[in-house]
């Protein structure tokens, strides 16, 4: 049977408080004698002990994280943890934030020339200057903001006489209490009385303490005191427990005060050395142990309070009953609001440190959950809670004694950061795995690699690269990790080879290229860009190179590293054609240059002025049959142009821009037989072309006699079918008939058809008669127009004769 | 998991994503300055009113020579207007010249540019990369604007799109084949830039596929790539998809699409133009193809020369007719007209008030149908007129010649004579003529050197010297070559001269290829039931002059080896397969392309990296799944090829291979475009 956790609870008015031991004291404890020179500062995860010569940083398991010599800082005014649990060392002139332990990284902010005087005190990012006692605020540790210029409006006697949270500052002037609201920048007098110490809680409760009368006063609104207490013994320390109850510590006990003179106390077997406020309670550090005093959450109170009849308590009871009195146990479930009970059990489990109690509460929740309808209860709540509890237990097992509220406040990112600054990579991986968050793995890997590179000065680049490569292989979500920062660090460390190697492992091609570019590895970057097969990316990269490289370097890059891919030239061809001309000229690409000139001629709609240039360029390729033949054709064209110019001069007619065929036609049309003859001879015009052209031109000019003469001059090399066709096309049927008989190699049927096409029935009848084709004759008979009776008669006679 | 490929949603995706970008600017009044080349795609996404209702755009201006005055006018009349620029430079990787000049002249203090991009385009990460300014690699658009106006504040916003359906719900046109100068990215005019432009094309195609897959939650299970660029595309896509998978997605894919699991299969088939350069040169005979050949069907589904929009979603006559042989159109239109008449006539039989009301209610849709019917009747009679009477087309003569060249009906010298005759006659357009000459060269594996030179000389004598450069480019594209080029290519495997690489050509004359793959099936005239009638074709010969496109046969062979077993090799590992299977086709590919490794099959989502299937995999075939096949085209597809692939889908269904073909192409090509994309367009 587990001991009921409520045995050490104390009740202050309606609220229970409890005191839980969280760990033993593992770091050197400080004697009373040493206390004058020693100072201890606590954060949730870290302890700082300041000795006369050193500042030592421990974690709660007692391992020394860092030991700093005080010498390098000069006069230290204050040690404090900021909201990221980084140690802030404030000297009179500088504010130093310890960012990393190994390698040591301290971010120094020198304020000496920005401040009117030196720093006198520093609390929560607020500075009070020496002598003038002006108030400044530090932002991001690199900016200083003057909040209030004192000019004699108040005097602060000791460092206890002022305090602040993020919203307001309380200043205890000699006879007045002043409040400064940071956002509004207004200083107002809120009380007219004398006090000697002030503590402000995060939510804005103010506790004033008067040493003379040993008296406490707590208020939020200065006009109404929430509680006033006259203390019997002078307290060693006064702190807020969480942010709503005030605690005084004495030699071996602490007291929590409530309104109306009520208080509860917790007593400790050893002397209390310090107390520290936590987000949900108060850490009490005795000489041997560390305790956490905190409020008991409502859900826990409901379950474990003696005699509780709340649903959750009954649910827990039912679980105990289940093994012996199952029916009773089930019956119990009907009596209560089961959903509330389950939720409370889950909530209470989250708040427990003790794993057995967690288990018991979760079992109760699971038991109750089983009887709940799927629609009324979202099981994810339970699953998430279990996940969270596992995570918290894991984190606690690594020496971070945090509560659920602290976890919610710190977020996983800060926890991870704490692990990383302590180089607890194994633990960090475990936490990341539980979180299952890709971005966390990315942070983790980056931190690991960067530290590895910085700390392994004795390792070779190759060795380091292999180590990093192997780690990257095994880590989860490796595809999401960007290596940009790691590359940058290795580059700054002067490890160029390593930087290049890591850059090549980058998954994101864009980043990879940027990284390689940073190292001036243009060729490798280009190679990588080309590997993506993404022309847009390659071009973007090349345009960047074009601006950062000299022209000759850039041309070299293009010619050597992407000789077969004219992507850049293609894209330039739209806006900067001149680049192509230069490039082709420089690289002796005559053919392409010829193509460019051709494009120009296209724009100007004439080829004449450009052809000789193209010819000269093609002339470089004597061995190439295709182009060599073309050069011959260009030469011929040029002499044609010359000849045409000549003709134009002689006949005062424009021969320019005519093709050879058209020139021939024109000369025939003009009846310039001598020139026709010359042209045919000079330009080796084929007989066939000559016949086709002449035939067409003569028909167009209705020079039928010449045509007939031309046809009979000698046997036509194209036969006589074209004669017939050209004539028929122009509907010169009468003239066409003559040539039908001259056409060789066609059948009787075709011939008959042709005759009929030109309405030459007489001839059709004659050849049909020759062929003794009665069917054909009958067909013709039908086609013959009615008025040609003699023809019809003839057909009948022939049919009769056959 | 929603794996629905409803292409209508793709439009919405692009639309919504533009609205989102525009609204993220938080401007009250926007004048949208739009680049000319996206204007058409904007028009097909939404109307201007829709745009103004959903965003704060109040005016649209196009980027042109008038840009300065336009913007000045607007800004002076309403000073609260904010200009926002909308550009698409995915293919050019360069600002439009006019915009660049504008920025250079008017240094606007604050420049907002929206650029068309992909969800998966990783270069856009540069926009958010947190690096020192000194080291920052800016997005290329940023750098280009900055070089024009160094002191302006530049904001770049990507507009992520997905390919849009084109003429059919299962055809997606990525519209990536031509840049804004009209240059073909697959066959660029500068041969030396080919690798650059093809890389741009492949990158964009990979992105468009990846964003489609992402959008539809589709996981590819197997891929087949035919052609070198196709293989590149598949490898790139695979690397990108797998490289970006989070561990959760990995787990999901591993469990769901493991080899042994019978999950949804999605095949990816990638083919490219150089595998079959012949088909686009042929005269198309499908309704859609013929319209594209004659009147130029634009990317916005409009006939450019006619100003008629053909919308397959609203025009169901078009939906029914587009992929039919033109010869089948008459009877179909006739039947439709009769049906319409019957419906009109039904009013005479309407006795009761109810029936009359029913008729009156349907009157609107009947009239709409009548309008569409009239439109298509007029259109097809126009086509008929062109085909019969246009001398510059000589449609039937060319068609005959094509068929004869393919069938090897006429010998070499006769073919040459006919071609030279056509040149001398000077009646046919040079484009049409060159198309036929290219077919001749392709079928014969090059023309004899002497004749090659003659053809070139005669073409120049007829059409002028400019045509020489067109022929030069066609030579580099492998479409118009001579024997010695072919021989040296065969020897060197890569290039036939030291200057430029030649694109791959066939290793064997077409007559062999056609025999092995039976691309010219003989018509079975004995059996009239099997006769190939245009209205109800039995074979995919209806799209061209009796020839089945090569890619049809190659894709068919992945699932159905009945043809190969009859004509190439009797021993085949299977006759019907539910998964695309390349096994034992090496010999065929070696024979046709001189390279057995030109086709590659990859099973995706396996732990082992790229493993080609060596042995025939004939697992439990699951024929009843309606699996998807993404057929991706590089270098453009013709509308008639789409028609035959649709036909193939039905044929496979009849053999119990239930696949839904989704055709994704970088663009639509036809003979004129393939010839023109390479050449010097004279002003004549």
């Amino acid at each position: 049977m587990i001991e009921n956790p409520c045995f050490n609870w104390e009740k202050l008015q309606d609220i229970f408080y409890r005191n839980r031991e969280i760990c033993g004291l593992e770091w050197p404890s400080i004697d009373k004698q040493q206390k004058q020179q020693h100072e201890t500062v606590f954060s949730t995860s870290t302890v700082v002990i300041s000795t006369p010569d050193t500042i030592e940083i421990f974690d709660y398991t007692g391992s020394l994280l860092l030991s700093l010599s005080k010498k390098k800082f000069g006069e230290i005014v204050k040690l404090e943890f900021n909201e990221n649990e980084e140690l802030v060392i404030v000297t009179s002139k500088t504010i130093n934030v310890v960012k990393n332990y190994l390698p040591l990284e301290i971010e120094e902010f020198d304020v000496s020339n920005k401040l009117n005087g030196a720093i006198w005190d520093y609390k929560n990012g607020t500075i009070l200057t020496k002598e003038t006692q002006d108030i400044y605020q530090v932002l991001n540790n690199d900016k200083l903001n003057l909040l209030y210029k004192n000019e004699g409006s108040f005097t602060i006697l000791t460092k206890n006489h002022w305090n602040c949270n993020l919203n307001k500052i309380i200043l205890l002037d000699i006879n007045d209490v002043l409040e400064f609201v940071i956002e509004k920048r207004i200083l107002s007098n809120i009380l007219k009385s004398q006090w000697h110490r002030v503590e402000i809680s995060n939510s804005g409760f103010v506790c004033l303490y008067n040493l003379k009368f040993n008296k406490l006063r707590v208020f939020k609104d200065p006009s109404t005191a929430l509680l006033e207490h006259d203390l019997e013994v002078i307290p060693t320390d006064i702190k807020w427990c969480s942010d709503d109850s005030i605690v005084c510590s004495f030699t071996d006990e602490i007291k929590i005060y409530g309104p109306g003179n009520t208080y509860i106390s917790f007593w400790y077997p050893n002397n209390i050395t310090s107390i520290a406020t936590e987000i949900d309670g108060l850490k009490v550090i005795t000489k041997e142990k560390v305790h956490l005093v905190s409020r008991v959450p409502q859900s826990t109170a409901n379950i474990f309070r003696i005699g509780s009849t709340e649903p959750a308590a009954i649910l827990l009871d039912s679980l105990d009953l289940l093994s012996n009195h199952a029916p009773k146990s089930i019956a119990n479930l009907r009596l209560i609001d089961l959903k509330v009970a389950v939720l409370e059990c889950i909530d209470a489990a989250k708040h427990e440190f003790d794993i057995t109690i967690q288990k018991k509460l979760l079992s109760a929740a699971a038991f109750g959950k089983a009887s709940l309808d799927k629609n009324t209860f979202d099981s994810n709540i339970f699953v998430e809670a279990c996940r969270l509890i596992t995570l918290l237990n894991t984190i606690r097992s690594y020496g971070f004694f945090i509560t659920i509220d602290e976890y919610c406040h710190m977020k996983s990112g800060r926890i991870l950061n704490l692990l990383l600054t302590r180089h607890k990579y194994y633990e960090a991986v475990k936490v990341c795995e539980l979180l299952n968050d890709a971005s966390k793995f990315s942070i983790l890997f980056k931190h690991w690699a960067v530290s590895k590179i910085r700390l392994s000065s004795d390792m070779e680049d190759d060795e380091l690269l292999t180590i990093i490569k192997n780690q990257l292989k095994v880590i989860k979500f490796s595809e999401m990790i960007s290596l940009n920062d790691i590359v940058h660090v290795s580059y700054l460390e002067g490890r160029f080879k390593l930087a290049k190697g890591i850059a090549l492992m980058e998954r994101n091609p864009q980043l990879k290229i940027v990284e390689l570019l940073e190292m001036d590895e243009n060729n490798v970057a280009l190679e990588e860009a080309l590997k993506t097969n993404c022309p847009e990316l390659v071009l973007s990269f090349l345009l960047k190179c074009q601006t950062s490289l000299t022209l000759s370097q850039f041309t070299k890059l293009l010619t050597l590293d992407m000789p077969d891919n004219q992507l850049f030239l293609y894209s330039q061809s739209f806006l900067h054609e001149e680049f192509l001309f230069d490039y082709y000229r420089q690289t002796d690409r005559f053919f392409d240059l010829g193509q460019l000139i051709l494009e120009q001629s296209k724009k100007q709609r004439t080829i004449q002025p450009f052809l000789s240039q193209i010819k000269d360029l093609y002339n470089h390729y004597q061995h190439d049959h295709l182009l060599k033949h073309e050069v011959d054709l260009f030469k011929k064209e040029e002499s044609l142009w010359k000849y045409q110019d000549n003709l134009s001069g002689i006949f005062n007619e424009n021969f320019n821009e005519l093709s050879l065929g058209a020139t021939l036609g024109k000369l025939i049309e003009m009846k310039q037989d001598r020139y026709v003859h010359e042209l045919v001879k000079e330009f080796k015009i084929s007989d066939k072309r000559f016949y086709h052209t002449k035939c067409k031109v003569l028909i167009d000019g209705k020079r039928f006699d010449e045509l007939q003469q031309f046809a009979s001059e000698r046997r036509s090399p194209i036969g006589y079918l074209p004669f017939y066709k050209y004539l028929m096309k122009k509907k010169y049927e009468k003239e066409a008939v003559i040539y039908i008989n001259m056409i060789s190699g066609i059948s009787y049927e075709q011939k008959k058809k042709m005759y009929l096409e030109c309405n030459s029935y007489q001839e059709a009848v004659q050849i049909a008669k020759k062929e003794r084709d009665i069917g054909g004759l009958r067909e013709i008979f039908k086609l013959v127009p009615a008025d040609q009776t003699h023809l019809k008669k003839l057909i009948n006679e022939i049919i009769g004769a056959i | 998991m929603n794996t629905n490929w409803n292409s209508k949603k793709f439009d919405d995706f692009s639309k919504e994503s533009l609205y989102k970008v525009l609204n993220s600017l938080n401007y009250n009044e926007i004048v949208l300055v739009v680049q000319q080349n996206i204007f058409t795609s904007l028009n097909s996404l939404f109307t201007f009113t829709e745009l103004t209702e959903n965003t704060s755009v109040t005016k649209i201006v196009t980027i042109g020579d008038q840009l300065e005055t336009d913007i000045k006018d607007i800004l002076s009349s309403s000073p609260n207007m904010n200009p926002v620029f909308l550009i698409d430079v995915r293919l050019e990787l360069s600002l439009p010249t006019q915009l660049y000049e504008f920025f250079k002249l008017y240094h606007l203090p604050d420049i907002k540019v929206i650029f068309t991009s992909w969800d998966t385009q990783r270069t856009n990460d540069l926009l958010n990369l947190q690096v020192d300014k000194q080291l920052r690699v800016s997005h290329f658009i940023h750098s280009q604007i900055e070089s024009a106006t160094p002191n302006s504040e530049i904001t770049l916003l990507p507009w992520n799109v997905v390919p849009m359906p084109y003429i059919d719900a299962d055809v997606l046109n990525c519209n990536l084949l031509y840049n804004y100068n009209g240059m073909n990215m697959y066959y660029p005019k500068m041969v030396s830039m080919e690798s650059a432009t093809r890389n741009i094309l492949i990158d964009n195609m990979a992105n468009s596929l990846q964003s489609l897959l992402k959008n539809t939650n589709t996981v590819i299970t197997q891929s087949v790539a035919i052609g070198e660029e196709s293989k590149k595309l598949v490898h790139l896509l695979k690397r990108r998809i797998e490289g970006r998978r989070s561990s959760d997605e990995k787990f999901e894919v591993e469990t769901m699409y493991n080899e042994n699991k019978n999950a949804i299969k999605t095949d990816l088939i990638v083919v490219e133009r150089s595998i079959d350069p012949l088909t686009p040169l042929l005269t198309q005979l499908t309704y859609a193809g013929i319209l594209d050949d004659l009147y130029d069907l634009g990317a916005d589904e409009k006939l450019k020369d006619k100003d008629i929009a053909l919308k397959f979603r609203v025009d169901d006559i078009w939906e029914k007719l587009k992929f039919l042989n033109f010869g089948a159109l008459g009877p179909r239109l006739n039947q439709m007209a009769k049906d319409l008449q019957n419906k009109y006539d039904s009013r005479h039989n309407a006795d009761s008030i109810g029936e009359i009301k029913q008729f009156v209610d349907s009157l609107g849709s009947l009239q709409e149908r009548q309008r569409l019917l009239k439109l298509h009747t007029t259109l097809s009679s126009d086509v008929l007129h062109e085909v019969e009477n246009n001398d510059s087309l000589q449609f039937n003569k060319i068609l005959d010649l094509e068929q004869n060249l393919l069938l090897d009906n006429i010998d070499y010298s006769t073919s040459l004579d006919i071609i030279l005759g056509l040149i001398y006659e000077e009646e046919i357009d040079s484009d049409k003529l060159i198309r036929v000459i290219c077919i001749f060269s392709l079928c014969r594996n090059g023309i004899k050197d002497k004749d090659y030179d003659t053809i070139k000389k005669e073409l120049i004598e007829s059409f002028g010297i400019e045509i020489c450069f067109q022929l030069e480019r066609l030579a580099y594209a492998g479409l118009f070559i001579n024997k010695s080029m072919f021989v040296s290519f065969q020897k060197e495997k890569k290039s036939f001269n030291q200057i430029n690489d030649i694109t791959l050509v066939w290793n064997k004359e077409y007559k062999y290829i056609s025999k092995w793959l039976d691309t010219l099936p003989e018509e079975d005239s004995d059996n009239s039931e099997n006769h190939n009638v245009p209205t109800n074709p039995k074979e995919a010969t209806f799209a061209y002059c009796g020839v089945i496109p090569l890619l049809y046969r190659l894709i068919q062979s992945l699932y159905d080896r009945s043809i190969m077993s009859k004509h190439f090799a009797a021993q085949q590992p299977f006759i019907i397969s539910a998964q695309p299977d390349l096994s034992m086709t090496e010999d065929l590919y070696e024979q046709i392309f001189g390279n057995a490794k030109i086709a590659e099959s990859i099973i995706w989502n396996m732990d082992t990296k790229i493993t080609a299937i060596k042995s025939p995999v004939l697992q439990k075939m699951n024929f009843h799944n309606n699996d998807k096949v993404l057929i991706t085209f590089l270098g453009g597809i013709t509308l008639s090829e789409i028609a035959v692939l649709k036909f193939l889908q039905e044929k496979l269904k009849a053999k119990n291979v239930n696949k839904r073909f989704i055709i994704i192409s970088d663009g639509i090509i036809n003979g004129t475009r393939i010839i023109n994309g390479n050449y010097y367009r004279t002003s004549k």
Side-chain angles (χ1 to χ4, degrees), chain A residues 671-713:
Chain A
K671 303 187 182 172
Q672 294 299 335
D673 289 348
R674 193 168 71 81
Y675 289 101
V676 169
H677 198 67
E678 199 178 276
L679 189 75
V680 169
K681 219 176 135 193
E682 180 85 25
F683 293 96
K684 300 192 178 94
I685 295 174
S686 70
D687 256 7
K688 288 185 180 178
R689 174 177 295 281
F690 176 65
Y691 264 75
H692 274 284
T693 312
K694 184 154 180 177
C695 185
K696 267 190 287 185
V697 174
L698 291 179
I699 293 168
D700 284 345
K702 295 189 186 176
R703 292 148 71 178
F704 300 122
D705 295 342
E706 278 180 66
L707 183 68
Q708 212 168 344
Q709 199 195 339
F710 177 57
S712 51
E713 245 170 33

Side-chain angles (χ1 to χ4, degrees), chain A residues 264-275:
Chain A
I264 52 169
S265 63
F266 287 99
W267 179 86
Y268 297 92
N270 300 96
N271 282 353
I272 296 169
T273 50
S274 352
I275 55 175

Side-chain angles (χ1 to χ4, degrees), chain A residues 511-781:
Chain A
L511 275 177
K512 188 192 272 191
I513 288 160
V514 170
E515 286 156 15
L516 289 165
L517 208 59
E518 184 189 358
M519 291 178 268
D520 281 329
E521 293 278 358
N522 296 325
N523 309 29
V524 187
L526 178 58
E527 197 182 305
E528 290 300 321
L530 286 170
K531 268 189 204 160
T532 62
N533 266 324
C534 179
E536 299 195 359
L537 183 63
V538 176
L539 181 66
S540 304
F541 165 77
L542 287 173
L543 285 171
K544 165 87 187 174
C545 287
Q546 199 187 16
T547 53
S548 62
L549 298 178
T550 65
L551 184 61
S552 64
Q553 280 175 319
F554 184 65
T555 317
K556 207 171 140 196
L557 190 70
L558 286 185
T559 45
L560 294 181
D561 292 287
M562 45 190 302
D564 298 328
N565 189 340
Q566 298 199 2
L567 173 71
F568 189 75
L569 297 164
Y570 169 71
S571 124
Q572 291 288 303
S573 71
F574 295 89
L575 295 176
H576 307 285
E577 226 183 2
E578 66 282 357
F579 183 89
L580 273 72
F581 274 100
D582 291 344
Y583 181 84
Y584 288 146
R585 238 175 243 135
Q586 279 173 24
T587 51
D588 290 348
R589 297 180 81 115
F590 304 113
F591 178 78
D592 291 330
L593 206 52
Q595 300 291 312
L596 278 186
I597 292 170
L598 187 66
E599 282 303 300
Q600 284 210 319
S601 77
K602 189 159 104 184
K603 273 180 205 146
Q604 306 208 357
R605 292 171 185 276
T606 168
I607 185 98
Q608 290 216 5
F610 302 98
L611 194 67
S612 77
Q613 293 180 52
I614 298 174
K615 186 187 73 190
D616 293 345
L617 290 166
Y618 279 18
N619 240 334
H620 285 97
Y621 304 99
Q622 286 294 337
H623 48 271
D624 184 279
H625 174 77
L626 181 75
L627 296 187
K628 204 176 156 203
H629 181 237
E630 280 177 11
V631 169
D632 293 342
L633 293 170
F634 296 159
K635 279 183 190 154
K636 188 174 158 194
E637 185 73 14
E638 280 178 329
S639 51
L640 174 66
W641 291 340
K642 216 180 270 169
Y643 192 79
Q644 283 173 337
D645 276 346
N646 191 18
L647 289 178
S648 305
I650 297 169
F651 299 110
N652 207 15
E653 281 254 5
N654 189 8
F655 279 87
N656 293 336
E657 300 204 357
L658 289 182
S659 68
L660 184 61
T663 314
L664 177 69
K666 191 161 178 157
L667 284 171
I668 298 172
E669 194 190 323
M670 292 164 72
K671 303 187 182 172
Q672 294 299 335
D673 289 348
R674 193 168 71 81
Y675 289 101
V676 169
H677 198 67
E678 199 178 276
L679 189 75
V680 169
K681 219 176 135 193
E682 180 85 25
F683 293 96
K684 300 192 178 94
I685 295 174
S686 70
D687 256 7
K688 288 185 180 178
R689 174 177 295 281
F690 176 65
Y691 264 75
H692 274 284
T693 312
K694 184 154 180 177
C695 185
K696 267 190 287 185
V697 174
L698 291 179
I699 293 168
D700 284 345
K702 295 189 186 176
R703 292 148 71 178
F704 300 122
D705 295 342
E706 278 180 66
L707 183 68
Q708 212 168 344
Q709 199 195 339
F710 177 57
S712 51
E713 245 170 33
R714 66 182 177 101
R715 219 181 114 75
S716 156
I718 57 169
Y720 296 93
L721 189 63
F723 285 68
Y724 169 79
K725 269 196 188 159
Y726 291 139
L727 282 162
M728 282 306 285
K729 211 174 139 194
K730 299 260 167 178
K731 305 244 175 332
Y732 299 131
E733 294 161 0
K734 214 169 72 207
E735 288 76 12
V737 176
I738 306 167
Y739 300 97
I740 297 177
N741 209 23
M742 298 163 86
I743 300 170
S744 58
I746 52 170
S747 65
Y748 147 74
E749 286 293 338
Q750 281 169 307
K751 243 183 213 177
K752 188 183 74 188
K753 202 175 144 216
M754 284 181 182
Y755 280 125
L756 291 176
E757 270 172 1
C758 1
N759 299 327
S760 175
Y761 305 106
Q762 187 78 37
E763 271 78 4
V765 171
Q766 288 308 327
I767 60 162
K769 183 184 168 190
K770 232 187 201 165
E771 294 286 326
R772 307 173 77 87
D773 174 11
I774 297 177
L777 284 166
R778 288 209 175 111
E779 248 172 64
I780 301 168
F781 186 81

Side-chain angles (χ1 to χ4, degrees), chain A residues 510 544 564 624 630 729, chain B residues 122 134 195 427 472 497:
Chain A
Q510 285 80 8
K544 165 87 187 174
D564 298 328
D624 184 279
E630 280 177 11
K729 211 174 139 194
Chain B
R122 293 199 79 175
Q134 193 71 39
S195 77
E427 277 179 338
E472 179 185 291
N497 67 14

